[in-house]
Amino acid sequence: MRSTGSWYDIADEQGNKYIGRLRGKLKQEEMKSNNPIAVGDYVDFEIENVEQNTVLINDILERENYLIRQSTHRKNQAHIIAANIDQAMLIATLVFPRTSLGFIDRFLVSAEAYRIPTLVIFNKKDLLEGDGLVFQEELVEMYKKIGYESLAISALDKNDIQKINALLEGKKTLISGHSGVGKSTIINHIAPYLGLETGDISDYSLKGTHTTTFAEMFEIRPKTYLIDTPGIKELGLIDIEAEEISHFFPEMRERFGQCKYYNCTHLHEPDCAIVKAVENGEIAQSRYESYLSMVMGEDNRK
């Protein structure tokens, strides 16, 4: 339910709560991840101390899926954000702070790679007007068109919170995004008894302050779970080869087989169906630019 790095909060099938730590042999195994156990993992454990309610974790069961990103400290290591989730909800904002389209698309590619349905929620619509509102609606429609549930909301609007709440029912949902986009505020409106801390936006940097230190899962209703995560500053792709990236763009994937060359990279080859679709406005220019930055390995993680 919660990972602090060395200790883990665990709930069993009956709802009993324990504090667990990894057995030594698991610690010593070579791991590509800097966090061998993630929130959402199922584990096998045994009671260590009845009085202190501590347990030893013997094994991590096979994951159905997980969301992963490149470790911010070690570029050759991964960090598992959460495991065994039904859907991800990415909270984005166009102001205070601004979420880049490149970041949104990297998140979607990471989720697509592990077949995790993702909702794209644009918060703080109450801070926009005129062209800003029009642009936000265009983005909502763009993501809907390629198969993602997308909404523009205000965390201060009760009707909008009800819409979000309905999307969570009966699922295990990871909520993610930059610091300051309103994740904790949204969760507090949905489940006020959790009392999550919220932070202010810096006037200087227009970025949020980190209020969630560790990932944590809450059961807000029977069979309905929310996973709150620390704000992600940048999202580096890992374990995805350049030639595979187009597979995780739904609008590109549906055009496979239409290019002149079977191994088309969709960069410079003649008669490329993807490039033609971009030129014809069938694929959004911003999405193609995100694809290019990922394939070329440009630093567009923020």
Side-chain angles (χ1 to χ4, degrees):
M1 303 294 287
R2 182 172 182 257
S3 165
T4 63
S6 55
W7 288 92
Y8 306 90
D9 292 351
I10 301 170
D12 67 12
E13 293 92 334
Q14 290 76 39
N16 300 312
K17 303 293 178 63
Y18 304 95
I19 301 172
R21 60 187 178 90
L22 277 174
R23 185 174 284 280
K25 66 173 185 178
L26 279 177
K27 287 184 183 179
Q28 293 166 9
E29 290 177 358
E30 186 176 346
M31 301 249 183
K32 293 178 67 177
S33 167
N34 63 7
N35 59 326
I37 300 182
V39 167
D41 268 328
Y42 293 101
V43 297
D44 176 71
F45 66 87
E46 63 182 69
I47 302 294
E48 180 185 32
N49 187 306
V50 175
E51 292 182 358
Q52 296 181 1
N53 212 34
T54 60
V55 300
L56 280 176
I57 298 170
N58 294 318
D59 198 13
I60 306 163
L61 305 189
E62 185 175 355
R63 294 170 175 136
E64 181 180 331
N65 61 35
Y66 53 92
L67 197 60
I68 194 170
R69 68 183 177 97
Q70 189 180 69
S71 170
T72 53
H73 303 295
R74 296 181 180 179
K75 301 303 180 184
N76 61 341
Q77 270 199 332
H79 178 82
I80 301 170
I81 301 172
N84 302 312
I85 60 179
D86 296 315
Q87 63 183 8
M89 180 178 288
L90 178 64
I91 309 297
T93 46
L94 298 183
V95 290
F96 299 108
R98 177 182 175 274
T99 306
S100 74
L101 299 186
F103 178 87
I104 294 173
D105 292 336
R106 280 176 178 268
F107 188 95
L108 293 177
V109 164
S110 296
E112 284 278 344
Y114 296 96
R115 297 179 178 84
I116 299 170
T118 303
L119 318 172
V120 183
I121 307 299
F122 290 93
N123 189 25
K124 303 188 183 182
K125 69 179 183 183
D126 52 299
L127 300 182
L128 299 174
E129 57 185 22
D131 291 344
L133 282 172
V134 171
F135 179 55
Q136 180 177 252
E137 189 55 38
E138 288 174 350
L139 291 178
V140 167
E141 291 306 314
M142 178 187 77
Y143 286 111
K144 280 183 177 179
K145 182 181 176 182
I146 57 178
Y148 296 104
E149 180 82 42
S150 186
L151 292 172
I153 71 160
S154 167
L156 306 179
D157 188 315
K158 291 183 179 179
N159 290 327
D160 286 345
I161 293 298
Q162 287 177 358
K163 292 176 185 177
I164 296 296
N165 208 357
L167 293 170
L168 304 175
E169 189 61 36
K171 296 182 182 295
K172 193 183 296 178
T173 305
L174 167 80
I175 295 187
S176 191
H178 288 323
S179 295
V181 296
K183 299 187 302 297
S184 297
T185 300
I186 290 170
I187 294 174
N188 279 337
H189 282 302
I190 292 170
Y193 51 86
L194 295 177
L196 301 187
E197 183 182 351
T198 59
D200 298 324
I201 304 298
S202 163
D203 291 333
Y204 175 73
S205 66
L206 299 183
K207 295 179 181 178
T209 55
H210 293 271
T211 54
T212 303
T213 308
F214 304 106
E216 185 166 5
M217 181 160 61
F218 305 98
E219 186 174 13
I220 60 172
R221 292 185 294 278
K223 298 183 179 180
T224 300
Y225 297 86
L226 275 181
I227 301 175
D228 185 25
T229 60
I232 300 177
K233 184 178 180 181
E234 55 183 44
L235 185 66
L237 298 181
I238 194 164
D239 287 344
I240 300 177
E241 300 298 329
E243 58 269 20
E244 298 176 322
I245 292 175
S246 61
H247 294 237
F248 307 124
F249 280 75
E251 66 271 48
M252 295 186 183
R253 190 167 59 229
E254 68 181 21
R255 291 174 168 82
F256 282 179
Q258 298 178 23
C259 297
K260 181 177 180 179
Y261 299 102
Y262 77 92
N263 59 347
C264 185
T265 62
H266 320 304
L267 299 177
H268 47 68
E269 294 87 348
D271 295 326
C272 171
I274 304 301
V275 172
K276 285 183 180 179
V278 175
E279 292 171 348
N280 295 335
E282 298 167 6
I283 290 179
Q285 183 68 37
S286 66
R287 290 279 289 169
Y288 184 64
E289 289 174 1
S290 291
Y291 169 74
L292 292 180
S293 74
M294 294 179 213
V295 171
M296 305 299 288
E298 297 171 7
D299 190 10
N300 187 30
R301 298 179 291 178
K302 297 181 180 181

